[in-house]
Amino acid sequence: MVLVKGNHASHPSTFILVGIPGLEAAHVWISIPFCTMYTIAVLGNFIILFIMKTEPSLHVPMYYFLCMLAITDLVLSTSTLPKMLGIYWFNSKEINFSACLTQMHFIHCFSVMESGIFVAMAFDRYVAICHPLRHSTILTNHVVAKIGLALVLRGMMVILPFPFLASHWPYCRTNIIPHSYCEHMAVVNLACGDTRVSSYYGLFVVFCVRGPDVIFIAVSYTQILRAIFSLPTKDARLKALETCSSHLCAILSFYIPGLFSSLTHRFGHNVPLYFHILIVNMYLLVPPMLNPIIYGVRTKQIQDRLLWLFTHKGF
């Protein structure tokens, strides 16, 4: 392990990513579903973006937010999966220290962005169902652009302390990371100084950034459901529920594995490490794969446009 010395700390020039500890012999087999999910995620999200670009009727706030979600999913999965496959297929386990911190920032930054996008989508559904006559005046293109910029800045600023603090800790134990990618706490746990600041800040992000996101989504959908069940006819209620069901499915696929990952990494000492790593890897692959499928299957406008693309002679 080569140490690079700075003013306040020393760190290895490279880290070694183990992959999935305890399941090294099965890496090739594990890579098959991972590669399949990544391929579906890339194709699905690019199709969503292409449909959004070519269909003017979809240029409305709901689908602008869906485009933001697709871009975020592409970055989130691409920042991890190619390196994972390098580990599983070619035993390419080394990663430069700076590249490791960059990967860490991208993963956590875009994860926070995705959480914010779900909040924005919940707000869009709230306005559309609870205040339909004011929807076009509240969520103008200018407002949507401001929301998108705010989500990007929030993700970047909230996560910036992660790599900053990690770069200043001394690493005098080992450079072997028992993980498939540079997860924040997996890196910090290798430091030999007092890293409680990083741990506490990680908890702050979970409970004070994502926590309010979840609360806002829950409050929005409480109001949405109240408005839906007060509609006079069953058909109207079903139609309103249908517009929200895809969003709720996407939210559950994102938050449940993420919450499990964050809590088990800090408190689940009895959970086998290989199981935890598998869940974390799935967390970065399943939502990007499922989101375009969920919205493609449950959104009639996207279905119609996709069918037109495959049947039209010009395709």
Side-chain angles (χ1 to χ4, degrees):
M1 178 175 67
V2 180
L3 293 181
V4 178
K5 295 186 178 180
N7 293 330
H8 303 288
S10 58
H11 60 72
S13 58
T14 59
F15 282 119
I16 305 297
L17 292 166
V18 171
I20 303 177
L23 297 180
E24 288 87 352
H27 273 174
V28 173
W29 296 107
I30 293 170
S31 70
I32 295 173
F34 281 9
C35 186
T36 303
M37 287 189 286
Y38 178 63
T39 303
I40 294 171
V42 171
L43 290 176
N45 283 294
F46 269 120
I47 289 171
I48 290 288
L49 291 172
F50 180 75
I51 289 174
M52 297 299 112
K53 185 179 185 301
T54 57
E55 181 51 60
S57 67
L58 300 180
H59 294 175
V60 294
M62 174 182 174
Y63 296 106
Y64 287 145
F65 291 132
L66 182 54
C67 284
M68 295 180 199
L69 184 66
I71 293 170
T72 302
D73 281 338
L74 284 170
V75 175
L76 196 58
S77 55
T78 302
S79 62
T80 55
L81 208 283
K83 181 59 182 176
M84 279 190 209
L85 294 180
I87 296 169
Y88 299 157
W89 290 347
F90 310 113
N91 206 33
S92 176
K93 297 183 177 183
E94 283 195 1
I95 184 169
N96 183 271
F97 183 82
S98 298
C100 184
L101 297 189
T102 302
Q103 186 189 56
M104 177 198 300
H105 186 263
F106 267 81
I107 292 167
H108 293 286
C109 173
F110 278 85
S111 183
V112 169
M113 284 186 204
E114 184 151 341
S115 180
I117 292 168
F118 282 126
V119 173
M121 296 174 84
F123 178 67
D124 171 71
R125 292 300 83 204
Y126 166 76
V127 176
I129 291 174
C130 297
H131 305 283
L133 299 179
R134 299 173 58 196
H135 184 262
S136 60
T137 57
I138 293 174
L139 281 169
T140 62
N141 289 347
H142 186 62
V143 171
V144 171
K146 282 186 173 181
I147 291 173
L149 180 60
L151 294 177
V152 171
L153 292 176
R154 184 185 81 147
M156 293 176 63
M157 298 306 295
V158 165
I159 298 303
L160 190 59
F162 279 8
F164 177 79
L165 289 171
S167 67
H168 284 73
W169 299 129
Y171 295 86
C172 54
R173 296 173 182 168
T174 180
N175 66 336
I176 299 174
I177 302 176
H179 215 296
S180 299
Y181 61 87
C182 292
E183 201 274 338
H184 173 236
M185 288 307 299
V187 174
V188 170
N189 286 339
L190 301 183
C192 53
D194 185 356
T195 59
R196 284 179 295 180
V197 173
S198 288
S199 183
Y200 292 154
Y201 188 74
L203 288 173
F204 166 80
V205 171
V206 171
F207 291 108
C208 298
V209 177
R210 291 196 178 186
D213 287 355
V214 173
I215 291 171
F216 186 90
I217 292 170
V219 170
S220 296
Y221 269 94
T222 300
Q223 297 300 317
I224 289 169
L225 291 174
R226 287 179 60 186
I228 287 174
F229 288 113
S230 66
L231 293 174
T233 65
K234 182 180 179 181
D235 287 343
R237 290 194 292 270
L238 289 175
K239 186 176 180 180
L241 281 171
E242 195 172 317
T243 64
C244 300
S245 60
S246 55
H247 184 220
L248 284 172
C249 291
I251 286 171
L252 292 174
S253 73
F254 176 76
Y255 281 108
I256 292 175
L259 181 62
F260 176 84
S261 169
S262 296
L263 294 179
T264 54
H265 206 93
R266 290 171 174 83
F267 308 115
H269 303 298
N270 295 326
V271 177
L273 183 58
Y274 69 85
F275 180 74
H276 171 71
I277 302 300
L278 279 172
I279 292 295
V280 172
N281 291 348
M282 297 290 283
Y283 163 64
L284 293 178
L285 288 172
V286 171
M289 178 191 70
L290 286 182
N291 287 339
I293 295 173
I294 290 169
Y295 285 100
V297 169
R298 302 198 65 85
T299 306
K300 189 175 186 302
Q301 294 95 322
I302 294 177
Q303 286 180 14
D304 292 344
R305 183 62 178 174
L306 190 60
L307 184 63
W308 184 88
L309 286 173
F310 279 108
T311 57
H312 197 267
K313 294 179 180 179
F315 185 73

